[in-house]
């Protein structure tokens, strides 16, 4: 860790990067708490007979359904170690090899900008997929409406083929929209 004064560190940027980089489950396991497959552990803050501490993935933190303690990965570390938030961030930075306190403020700001750009890109992908799906559904409805006006068998069957193609496009756009939403939610 580079030798720098606390005033030289952008603690907000460090905190944000830590929350994006380390999950509550990883912190708990680092401190010896055993988690089940659903992300529950015995709460270290009270006498817990069965797991009541929910450890959420990504940047969502933790919540104890028994003692009602909650917070971020930084809060969890601070409470387990009995330190303040800055010492908790130093500990996480060191324990998980993040090297955030070695990075200068401009590097942290660049990382934050990259993170936000990726998030905007994912959100735009969801929006674009939703628009494509809506357009495909409108085309499908138009085909269905035109079928009602057909009196000729050949035109009717041609309309059915158009409707099937429109429905396939709508289904494909729906799948793309669902995939985009899943990527956005999971951060993948």
């Amino acid at each position: 860790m580079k030798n720098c004064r606390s005033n030289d560190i952008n603690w907000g940027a460090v905190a944000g990067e830590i929350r994006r980089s380390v999950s509550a489950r990883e912190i708990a396991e680092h401190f010896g708490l055993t988690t089940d497959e659903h992300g529950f552990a015995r709460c270290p803050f009270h006498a817990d007979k069965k797991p009541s501490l929910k450890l959420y993935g990504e940047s969502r933190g933790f919540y104890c359904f028994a003692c009602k303690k909650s917070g971020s990965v930084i809060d969890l570390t601070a409470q387990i170690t009995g330190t303040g938030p800055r010492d908790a961030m130093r500990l996480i930075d060191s324990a998980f090899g993040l090297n955030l306190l070695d990075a200068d403020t401009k590097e942290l700001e660049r990382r934050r900008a990259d993170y936000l750009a990726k998030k905007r890109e994912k959100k735009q992908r969801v929006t674009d997929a939703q628009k494509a799906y809506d357009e495909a559904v409108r085309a499908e409805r138009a085909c269905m409406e035109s079928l009602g006006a057909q009196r000729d068998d050949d035109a009717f069957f041609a309309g059915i083929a158009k409707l099937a193609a429109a429905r396939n496009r709508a289904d494909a756009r729906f799948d793309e929209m669902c995939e985009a939403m899943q990527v956005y939610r999971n951060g993948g």
Side-chain angles (χ1 to χ4, degrees):
M1 203 174 312
K2 99 178 169 184
N3 202 1
C4 60
R5 296 185 336 221
S6 262
N7 295 342
D8 295 339
I9 298 171
N10 181 340
W11 290 103
V14 170
E17 194 64 32
I18 285 173
R19 287 186 189 110
R20 282 188 297 279
S21 302
V22 183
S23 72
R25 191 176 212 162
E26 291 171 316
I27 293 290
E29 289 171 355
H30 176 76
F31 288 106
L33 297 176
T34 305
T35 59
D36 66 15
E37 64 272 11
H38 303 291
F40 279 92
R42 288 197 173 147
C43 183
F45 310 123
H46 64 92
D48 208 0
K49 291 185 172 110
K50 64 178 188 172
S52 63
L53 180 69
K54 176 65 176 168
L55 301 160
Y56 296 100
E58 298 192 26
S59 62
R60 292 185 42 215
F62 71 98
Y63 178 78
C64 179
F65 290 91
C67 70
K68 309 297 184 216
K69 285 201 178 197
S70 64
S72 70
V73 295
I74 297 165
D75 300 323
L76 181 61
T77 302
Q79 290 180 31
I80 288 173
T81 61
T83 62
R86 288 186 179 177
D87 287 334
M89 286 189 267
R90 286 184 183 100
L91 197 149
I92 294 168
D93 183 64
S94 173
F96 289 89
L98 302 177
N99 299 319
L100 298 172
L101 298 175
D102 291 338
D104 62 10
T105 302
K106 288 184 182 187
E107 172 63 16
L108 289 176
E109 288 171 358
R110 185 196 61 75
R111 288 181 191 177
R112 175 80 176 144
D114 288 349
Y115 169 78
L116 291 174
K118 286 178 185 174
K119 189 172 182 175
R120 277 192 302 273
E121 182 181 306
K122 290 176 198 171
K123 192 172 187 177
Q124 186 62 46
R125 185 173 173 215
V126 171
T127 302
D128 292 346
Q130 176 69 49
K131 286 178 184 176
Y133 172 69
D134 291 344
E135 187 178 304
V137 168
R138 280 192 296 278
E140 180 182 4
R141 285 187 185 140
C143 285
M144 288 174 65
E145 289 171 6
S146 71
L147 279 178
Q150 301 300 328
R151 301 288 176 231
D152 179 358
D153 283 347
D154 290 338
F156 179 78
F157 288 116
I160 292 287
K162 276 182 157 179
L163 175 61
R167 179 154 294 154
N168 287 340
R169 281 192 300 277
D171 287 346
R173 297 303 173 260
F174 182 77
D175 291 344
E176 289 171 10
M177 182 179 65
C178 289
E179 179 185 321
M181 289 172 74
Q182 190 70 28
V183 167
Y184 180 73
R185 282 190 194 123
N186 294 336

